[in-house]
Amino acid sequence: VFWPAWEWTRNPEARWLFGSHSLSLCTRDSRHCRQIIESGWYQKLWGAKFKITSDQNTKTLFENDKKGFRLCRSVGASAIGQGGDFIVADDPHDPEEVQSEVQRQAVLDWWSGVMSGSVVDPDKSAHVLIMHRVHHQDLAGHLIEQGGYELLCLPTEYIPERKCSTSIGFSDPREERGTLLFEKRFKRDYIDSQKISLGSYKYAGQHQQNPSPQEGGLAKRHWWRFWHWPGEPQTP
């Protein structure tokens, strides 16, 4: 929401391509970004930098008079003909479909085959993925394994051995194990309730950013069998 509005105060010709598993989610953020840009506060400070054009000003695509634009698409939609300086995927997986290998692979193919190549200048473009983990083979896991990306990982409950720092100087300020990421908003009672409602598998991924295979880590699910003593009634 804020990033394009901030970047345009310095670089209004920047072009943005956003993608999400849900077009409504992507459209919502695009609308909020445009509302900030059109606000009196923003216009008072940076209105002289650029103007939103009237001939291309929709919820999913708006442009400015410096040739910058913000375009949003759902996963799977084509971006052919549109080149961006910032290529951003925001929650590309539908949590309800991510267990399907077909659906999961479709997201990976969309990123590598559509979004990644939709750049203006490969030497200057930025590729950004924003998500919480939903599967050990999701897009984040794929890109971490592939390499070439910088990882910023902020689990809900702090894990010292996974402390994260970045090249721009940010470092997770927490020091004690289990310290919550944003306790003013998400208090301990709420986090504890999430552990119950989500279950250990989903909580490990969505909150701790450390999804484990559903088939098991050391003990694989397919190793387990049901055995019956001779003559014992068998239940379906």
Side-chain angles (χ1 to χ4, degrees), residues 156-197:
T156 296
E157 297 179 275
Y158 180 57
I159 305 172
E161 53 269 29
R162 296 179 63 205
K163 183 179 180 68
C164 188
S165 300
T166 71
S167 62
I168 63 173
F170 173 84
S171 182
D172 193 328
R174 295 174 289 177
E175 297 180 354
E176 295 185 14
R177 182 181 298 274
T179 301
L180 297 182
L181 179 64
F182 193 8
E183 192 168 8
K184 288 185 178 180
R185 181 175 181 184
F186 301 108
K187 296 179 173 59
R188 173 59 66 182
D189 289 347
Y190 172 77
I191 298 304
D192 289 342
S193 71
Q194 284 285 286
K195 294 179 181 179
I196 297 173
S197 60

Side-chain angles (χ1 to χ4, degrees), residues 22-77:
S22 167
L23 182 59
S24 62
L25 173 64
C26 199
T27 301
R28 179 203 66 186
D29 291 343
S30 178
R31 186 178 70 252
H32 289 170
C33 180
R34 188 181 63 178
Q35 288 171 345
I36 290 173
I37 292 172
E38 293 178 337
S39 69
W41 167 81
Y42 188 97
Q43 288 299 309
K44 180 180 178 180
L45 293 171
W46 298 290
K49 293 280 187 176
F50 65 90
K51 300 294 182 184
I52 299 296
T53 59
S54 58
D55 58 339
Q56 185 55 70
N57 186 8
T58 68
K59 293 179 180 179
T60 58
L61 171 61
F62 56 88
E63 298 178 351
N64 63 46
D65 57 358
K66 304 298 183 182
K67 304 302 181 183
F69 65 77
R70 189 191 193 284
L71 170 67
C72 68
R73 288 285 186 267
S74 60
V75 169

Side-chain angles (χ1 to χ4, degrees), residues 102-118:
V102 173
Q103 296 291 342
R104 207 166 53 246
Q105 187 61 47
V107 174
L108 271 58
D109 292 342
W110 165 79
W111 178 258
S112 61
V114 178
M115 292 292 278
S116 291
S118 301

Side-chain angles (χ1 to χ4, degrees), residues 6 10 13 16 21 43-44 49 72-73 76 86 99 101 103 110 126 129 133 141 184 187 197 208 234:
W6 174 76
R10 309 175 306 157
E13 62 271 19
W16 300 76
H21 76 269
Q43 288 299 309
K44 180 180 178 180
K49 293 280 187 176
C72 68
R73 288 285 186 267
F86 297 88
Q99 299 305 322
E101 183 177 355
Q103 296 291 342
W110 165 79
L129 170 62
R133 301 297 304 277
K184 288 185 178 180
K187 296 179 173 59
S197 60
Q208 295 303 94
Q234 297 188 20

Side-chain angles (χ1 to χ4, degrees), residues 216-231:
L218 294 177
K220 305 297 184 182
R221 176 178 292 182
H222 66 269
W223 290 353
W224 298 92
R225 297 289 186 270
F226 289 99
W227 301 90
H228 300 275
W229 292 104

